[in-house]
Amino acid sequence: MPDVTEPDYALLDRLGAASMAFFPRPDHTRPPEGASDYLIEVDPGVSIGARFYHEPGPEHPSILYFHGNGEIVGDHDQFVSLYYENGINLFVAEFRGYGKSGGTSSMEHLVTDARPVAAFFHAQLDELGYSKSRYVMGRSMGASPALEIAANAAEGFGGVVIESGAAGVRGMLQRFGVAEHGTALELIEAHEAKIRSIRLPTVQIHGEVDQLVPMETAAELYNLLEGTSREIVVIPYGDHNTILWVGQVPYMEALRRFIDTNAPAAE
C-alpha cells in the first residue's frame, strides 16, 4: 500500500483529468504599488509565479493563498484592498502553466508544487523580518495545495482556510468509472487518510448556493477534517464566484476572527 501522505495523484493525469480540469491564462500585469512579484523554482527549469501584496507591513499576519481555476495572481489586484483593510498581507501563488509560471498544469503538480512554494514563502518572509503569524488558504481548486501543506508542510502555519473548496478525488474517479478498483481505490483511501491526518485549525468559508461545489461537498471535507479544530462559515446567498462580493462583511470577519484566534504567542 502507498504511504498515506503520498497519494498517487498522477493517476488522475494518466486518466486524462488534467486536460479537462485546467483553464490556464497568461498574466502580463505588473505588480501594483505595495506588491512584489516572484518566480519560485519547483523543479529544475520550472518556476511558479507569485505576487506578494505586502502593504500592511511586517508586523501584520500573512496568508499564503492558492487561487481558483481559471484565475491568475493579477486578478487579485482588484480586491486585495479588503485584506489590507483587515491588516493582512496576501501572498498569491500560481499553478504550472498559469500567469507567469512555466511548465504544464497537472493534477500531480497541483499538489506536489505546494511544498516548495510554502518553503519559499517562509524563507522570503523570514528574510524580510515578517511576523510569524502565517496561514495557508486555498480557494476552489486551490484547496488541493492548501490541504497538502496542512498535511505535510504545516510547520510555521497557524491554520488553514478553505474557500469554496472540496477535498475529494472520489467524484472525479467515479466519472472515469474506476473509483472502486485497484489503484484508484488506493488513491481515494490514501487521499482521505491524508486529510484526516491534518492537525492545523481549519475554517471553511462556503457559499450557501454554491452550484459548482455544493454545500454537501463542503460537509464531506468537514467530516474528513476530524482531527482538527474546525468550523464552517456559510455565506448567505453566496455562489461559487460571488461569495466574496455577496458576503464581503461576514467573509472578512470570519477570516480575521480565525487569524486572531490562532495567532502565535507574542514574538
Side-chain angles (χ1 to χ4, degrees):
M1 291 289 290
D3 185 332
V4 296
T5 62
E6 298 291 348
D8 180 19
Y9 295 107
L11 172 63
L12 298 170
D13 299 310
R14 295 193 294 271
L15 290 170
S19 62
M20 300 185 297
F22 293 99
F23 300 95
R25 312 161 30 210
D27 186 358
H28 303 297
T29 63
R30 290 177 173 271
E33 186 176 353
S36 303
D37 280 359
Y38 298 96
L39 286 174
I40 305 167
E41 188 172 65
V42 291
D43 260 340
V46 180
S47 294
I48 296 293
R51 180 165 294 173
F52 186 24
Y53 300 92
H54 46 74
E55 190 171 295
E59 69 274 21
H60 290 278
S62 300
I63 293 176
L64 171 58
Y65 180 100
F66 295 92
H67 60 64
N69 197 8
E71 300 169 359
I72 51 175
V73 295
D75 295 338
H76 300 76
D77 293 357
Q78 62 186 309
F79 62 79
V80 72
S81 60
L82 297 176
Y83 288 83
Y84 286 174
E85 289 165 10
N86 285 274
I88 302 169
N89 303 298
L90 192 66
F91 190 105
V92 185
E94 298 279 20
F95 312 134
R96 294 194 190 203
Y98 284 66
K100 297 179 175 70
S101 304
T104 301
S105 309
S106 75
M107 302 303 295
E108 177 185 22
H109 292 125
L110 175 70
V111 174
T112 60
D113 288 344
R115 286 192 238 177
V117 169
F120 182 93
F121 168 78
H122 285 308
Q124 191 64 32
L125 267 63
D126 287 348
E127 182 179 332
L128 295 171
Y130 272 67
S131 166
K132 297 294 186 182
S133 183
R134 301 172 189 178
Y135 307 84
V136 60
M137 181 172 179
R139 163 174 155 74
S140 190
M141 181 176 277
S144 291
L147 291 167
E148 169 66 14
I149 289 170
N152 290 313
E155 186 175 357
F157 290 101
V160 58
V161 182
I162 302 298
E163 188 235 290
S164 306
V169 296
R170 186 183 299 272
M172 189 176 297
L173 289 166
Q174 285 174 339
R175 287 194 288 275
F176 288 106
V178 297
E180 305 304 324
H181 305 285
T183 55
L185 187 57
E186 289 180 359
L187 171 57
I188 292 169
E189 292 173 348
H191 173 76
E192 292 184 354
K194 183 183 86 170
I195 303 304
R196 289 191 185 96
S197 77
I198 291 172
R199 295 295 177 265
L200 283 179
T202 64
V203 62
Q204 296 167 252
I205 306 176
H206 213 90
E208 178 187 31
V209 293
D210 191 326
Q211 298 180 54
L212 188 61
V213 181
M215 276 299 308
E216 293 81 0
T217 307
E220 291 173 6
L221 173 56
Y222 179 86
N223 290 333
L224 285 173
L225 290 165
E226 59 189 11
T228 73
S229 168
R230 54 189 171 162
E231 177 186 10
I232 293 183
V233 176
V234 179
I235 304 299
Y237 309 110
D239 199 351
H240 194 74
N241 293 316
T242 65
I243 179 172
L244 182 56
W245 306 119
V246 170
Q248 184 178 125
V249 172
Y251 183 111
M252 296 309 298
E253 285 180 346
L255 184 59
R256 186 70 238 193
R257 183 172 63 250
F258 180 75
I259 289 173
D260 291 343
T261 300
N262 297 287
E267 299 172 38

